[in-house]
Every structure is written in C-alpha cells, then in structure tokens.
Amino acid sequence: MLKCYHVHVGGRGGAFMQVEMKDIDSGTKTNQRIRTEDKVERAFVEPREMQYLYHDGTGFVFMDQQNYEQLTLSDDMLEGQSGYLLPNTDVKVTFYNDKPIGLELPPSVVLTVTETDPEIRNATVTTSFKPATTETGLVVQVPPFVGTGEKIKINTDDGAYIERA
C-alpha cells in the first residue's frame, strides 16, 4: 500500500477507503476502493534493519545489520527516496518472499545545504521560501534565513523543511 484515504460522503452510502497499491510481483500501481464490509488478505512482509553504504553507479548498496550481507537496490526501487540517503543511514528494507519490495526511511534526516540564494539579513520566518539544493541533490524549499553550508532537518514523508539542525 502506497497511499490510503478514508472517504465518507455524508448521507450518501457508507464510508470507504481509497487505496493506491503496488503489485509486488509486477510493480504496477493500481487504485482500489475498499468498502467497510470488504475483506482484504494481508501479505506477510518482513522488515529488516539495514544500513545504506554507497551508490555504486548501478544502484544503492545496503548492508543487513544482522548478517552483514550486502544488497543492491535499483534507482527505480527507491522511487525518489534516494535524495534522503547519506552513507551510514539506518533504514528498514521490506521483503516479501525474500525479495526486497520497499524502503522505509527514518522520519527525518539532516542534510547540508550546498547551494541556495544568499542569506537575507534580518530575515525572520515568513511565508516566502526559497529553493535550496542539499548534498544529495535533493531540492527543498527553505526559509530565507537559511544559507549555504548550513545543516537542515527534512521530513522524509513530504520533503518539507523542519528546522535548522
């Protein structure tokens, strides 16, 4: 399951869940509407604690923290999560029938800003934000007082700036 939304239209039938799912075998995505009386079979998945090591040009290399075996995941498998990965980041890789199917990042990460517009003197928290590029290439909207070289904390769910680190 990638995304799910609870929908209830007042006075018009029952509530339901609108769910965006990904087929484990083929990788295709589909949207399903599940009513409250529907039964859903749960897949048995196994999360494993792993540590991101490096990018080798063909994929991202992770080490299992139990047996120290290495695993390489492709760029496609990470689906845009690679911008949050620094070497030695602890993550959970989810497996189904010993096949990796997903990656769970920590709730937030600390990255260094490598490029942004110059710092604005006496700037306070305002509604205007500016783009900042981090050391991993991720572009984040930050407040005007954040400058190049500063460490910032970023929410890995939505890519939003949280605070200076």
Side-chain angles (χ1 to χ4, degrees), residues 1 21 24 34 39-47 94 96-97:
M1 178 170 48
M21 297 183 287
I24 292 173
I34 301 172
K39 302 261 189 250
V40 178
E41 183 180 339
R42 185 180 185 115
F44 177 73
V45 294
E46 175 192 4
T94 306
Y96 177 74
N97 289 340

Side-chain angles (χ1 to χ4, degrees), residues 55-61 72-76:
H55 185 270
D56 67 0
T58 61
F60 296 85
V61 180
T72 302
L73 298 179
S74 68
D75 295 341
D76 294 340

Side-chain angles (χ1 to χ4, degrees), residues 80-98:
Q81 294 177 307
S82 59
Y84 302 106
L85 289 175
L86 284 174
N88 303 320
T89 301
D90 292 333
V91 298
K92 287 183 184 174
V93 177
T94 306
F95 289 81
Y96 177 74
N97 289 340
D98 290 327

Side-chain angles (χ1 to χ4, degrees), residues 107-128:
S108 63
V109 293
V110 175
L111 299 175
T112 303
V113 174
T114 57
E115 183 182 330
T116 190
D117 292 336
E119 182 177 343
I120 299 171
R121 292 275 180 229
N122 300 324
T124 59
V125 179
T126 65
T127 56
S128 64

Side-chain angles (χ1 to χ4, degrees), residues 79-86 105 108-116 130-142 150 152-162:
E79 297 178 340
Q81 294 177 307
S82 59
Y84 302 106
L85 289 175
L86 284 174
L105 295 167
S108 63
V109 293
V110 175
L111 299 175
T112 303
V113 174
T114 57
E115 183 182 330
T116 190
K130 63 182 181 179
T133 305
T134 65
E135 61 196 297
T136 62
L138 184 69
V139 178
V140 179
Q141 293 295 320
V142 298
E150 290 191 57
I152 58 173
K153 192 173 193 178
I154 302 168
N155 182 334
T156 57
D157 285 335
D158 58 8
Y161 166 87
I162 298 173

